[in-house]
Amino acid sequence: MVRKIKKYQRLLAQFLLEELPENQSEELSYQVITDMKNNHFQLVEMGWYENKFIYRIVLHLSIKPNAKIWLWVNNTDILVAEELVKLGVLASDIVLGFHSAEVRRYTGFAVA
């Protein structure tokens, strides 16, 4: 299980780095936040836009002790779960956490 978690940690960190937008500015930028100890991975947008402070979670994923990847937030048009499957993650290891358990059983991914 530890080996699988380490593999998924590397994969998620790399995935988020690849999703960083190229058109960043000094005022408004994107950052990848990785917490390898607690297994949380985020892509956030933060800074100033038109005199307003912006802090927005673009993507948030975590890895549970059972090596399931939970997708909590996806504020993109990317089908993240499908992209993870293309990278070698089993669909049965991906949980769409932003859906209720009742809805998850129809997604083709793990329920929990």
Side-chain angles (χ1 to χ4, degrees), residues 18-79:
E18 290 173 3
E19 293 307 318
L20 278 172
E22 292 180 18
N23 58 342
Q24 297 191 49
S25 68
E26 287 184 30
E27 294 83 26
L28 190 61
S29 65
Y30 293 82
Q31 296 180 5
V32 171
I33 300 170
T34 57
D35 176 355
M36 298 295 195
K37 181 179 177 189
N38 297 299
N39 286 314
H40 285 275
F41 305 83
Q42 294 184 338
L43 174 61
V44 298
E45 177 184 34
M46 61 185 297
W48 289 89
Y49 179 75
E50 295 182 357
N51 293 323
K52 290 184 182 177
F53 181 71
I54 306 292
Y55 184 87
R56 179 174 76 103
I57 298 172
V58 179
L59 291 168
H60 181 179
L61 301 104
S62 66
I63 305 170
K64 297 285 187 163
N66 64 357
K68 300 277 187 190
I69 296 174
W70 283 68
L71 175 57
W72 297 108
V73 175
N74 180 5
N75 287 317
T76 73
D77 58 358
I78 301 165
L79 300 173

Side-chain angles (χ1 to χ4, degrees), residues 1-17:
M1 195 69 62
V2 171
R3 176 180 251 169
K4 189 182 225 183
I5 289 172
K6 294 288 184 196
K7 174 187 171 186
Y8 285 169
Q9 285 175 330
R10 288 188 302 274
L11 189 142
L12 292 181
Q14 184 61 39
F15 175 76
L16 291 179
L17 286 170

